Amino acid sequence: VVSTQSTGEHSKIDTIVIEFLAKALDKVFPEFEFDWLIDTIKRNLPKELDFVQEGQNCEHMSRLFTDVPFLKVPKIYWEHTNRRVLCMEYINGGKVDDAEYMLAHNINKSEVLSYLSKIFSQMIFVRGYIHCDPHPGNVLVQKSEGKTRLVLLDHGLYQTLTDDFRITYCKLWQALLKGDTERIRKQAHRLGVGKYYGLFACMVASRTWDDITGSGIADKNSKLDVNRLQEEAIRQIPQISQVLNYIPRQLILILKTNDLLRGIECSLLNKNTQGVGTFLNMARYCLSALTTHKLNKSTSLRKTFVIYYTYTLCLVKLKLMKFLYWVSLTKLGGYCERLLPSHVVV
């Protein structure tokens, strides 16, 4: 596959025009904040137009995930590549949101979503190196030798996270998964959100505040109420723009990535469903990242033992939750729901 581009000359002009329009809108609508948008475009547009950078990103991603058998990254042919031309391996497959393609090739949609959540959870929580444009055209799915694989394309836009930010973001998600209001407020404050921590939590999790502070977003009865979220988002556009202006710039692209992944999930599942399996995968990688962080800071054998012991207990709990969630999706789970009181249903 050969990609070419000749838009470099125009990118600076495009950036200037966007900055002018954003500042004009800021004068007309002072309650909105657009600095975050200008900064993000200025920072990332040049990177996306450099094919040498894209090739390097592609190879770095391949090295990071060399032990993941269900992920394929194209090979770069450097002898034919420069800043304006990118030559890479051709890999066939269907778009990751193409349910008809998956049906025709006997590909399990739930398996695809599980792989997708595992890959991006590792990127965000463990590796700190994130592909920030995973729209369906950039993620393919294929059946190779009887096994399902994902193919990751378009490596022009990546975000590298600092360790401090990554650990704080892990702790935020851990608090969201548990519905721990105080810890959500604490970690959101560290990310610069301040009084808007509740709105920020809803933006990150794509859940209402009631859902987050209830039984937790990893609860199997948690549902993605798209209509209610859209209504709240429209009502709070000025506050959302302020939150986007406050948070670290590296978080902007993570939010974009999360939204694209949720779009893929909603296209394969019911519109009002955010897979609990996805949240449980995220919880596992959050736990792994935070455990590694604690072990690196441990100063005694006793502390190390406690860390490993706690990690093992949490991992067993997560595996049990995942098993119970799987049972709830089977006919056995439906049968249990009809027979047992709601508070003991798996």
Side-chain angles (χ1 to χ4, degrees), residues 67-319:
D67 59 338
V68 178
F70 52 81
L71 176 65
K72 174 68 176 176
V73 178
K75 178 183 177 181
I76 303 297
Y77 298 107
W78 286 109
E79 62 271 25
H80 304 297
T81 295
N82 56 48
R83 291 188 72 251
R84 300 283 182 107
V85 178
L86 176 65
C87 185
M88 72 181 99
E89 174 187 8
Y90 172 77
I91 305 174
N92 64 356
K95 290 185 178 181
V96 73
D97 65 343
D98 190 341
E100 292 184 3
Y101 177 90
M102 294 186 199
L103 182 63
H105 291 79
N106 194 28
I107 295 174
N108 187 299
K109 292 189 292 184
S110 296
E111 184 180 36
V112 169
L113 291 174
S114 177
Y115 286 169
L116 198 61
S117 68
K118 287 178 180 178
I119 290 169
F120 278 88
S121 291
Q122 281 195 59
M123 287 186 197
I124 295 171
F125 301 118
V126 180
R127 311 288 188 177
Y129 189 70
I130 310 161
H131 185 298
C132 292
D133 199 17
H135 63 74
N138 286 341
V139 186
L140 304 182
V141 60
Q142 63 170 206
K143 200 84 168 184
S144 177
E145 299 178 351
K147 296 181 180 180
T148 300
R149 292 196 308 183
L150 299 182
V151 182
L152 198 57
L153 306 175
D154 192 352
H155 298 265
L157 186 58
Y158 272 79
Q159 179 67 65
T160 301
L161 308 182
T162 64
D163 284 342
D164 286 345
F165 173 87
R166 180 175 57 84
I167 294 302
T168 299
Y169 191 65
C170 282
K171 291 178 179 178
L172 172 68
W173 261 106
Q174 195 175 61
L176 289 169
L177 291 163
K178 294 180 178 179
D180 189 330
T181 306
E182 180 54 31
R183 290 181 64 194
I184 291 172
R185 185 199 64 75
K186 181 179 179 181
Q187 301 308 324
H189 180 74
R190 288 181 176 176
L191 292 171
V193 178
K195 65 179 180 179
Y196 293 115
Y197 69 91
L199 175 60
F200 174 63
C202 296
M203 291 167 61
V204 172
S206 280
R207 284 290 192 275
T208 64
W209 185 244
D210 289 342
D211 285 335
I212 293 172
T213 58
S215 55
I217 59 176
D219 182 82
K220 74 180 184 66
N221 294 313
S222 176
K223 300 293 182 182
L224 175 58
D225 191 338
V226 175
N227 293 330
R228 186 177 173 189
L229 281 173
Q230 289 175 342
E231 291 172 0
E232 287 294 317
I234 292 172
R235 187 174 63 85
Q236 300 196 60
I237 287 177
Q239 290 83 359
I240 290 173
S241 70
Q242 290 184 47
V243 169
L244 292 172
N245 205 44
Y246 291 156
I247 61 178
R249 293 295 178 257
Q250 54 192 320
L251 186 49
I252 298 288
L253 290 179
I254 295 179
L255 293 178
K256 173 197 172 187
T257 301
N258 287 344
D259 285 343
L260 288 171
L261 293 172
R262 288 186 185 110
I264 293 171
E265 189 166 19
C266 286
S267 69
L268 293 179
L269 299 176
N270 181 279
K271 180 182 178 182
N272 292 318
T273 300
Q274 169 80 34
V276 173
T278 296
F279 286 131
L280 291 175
N281 281 331
M282 294 175 73
R284 177 184 174 184
Y285 287 105
C286 273
L287 175 63
S288 176
L290 290 173
T291 299
T292 300
H293 176 68
K294 291 176 182 177
L295 287 172
N296 289 337
K297 296 176 64 176
S298 177
T299 56
S300 69
L301 287 176
R302 179 180 175 278
K303 287 182 179 180
T304 299
F305 173 78
V306 171
I307 292 168
Y308 272 119
Y309 178 74
T310 304
Y311 170 75
T312 303
L313 286 181
C314 290
L315 196 59
V316 169
K317 181 180 178 181
L318 284 173
K319 288 183 179 293

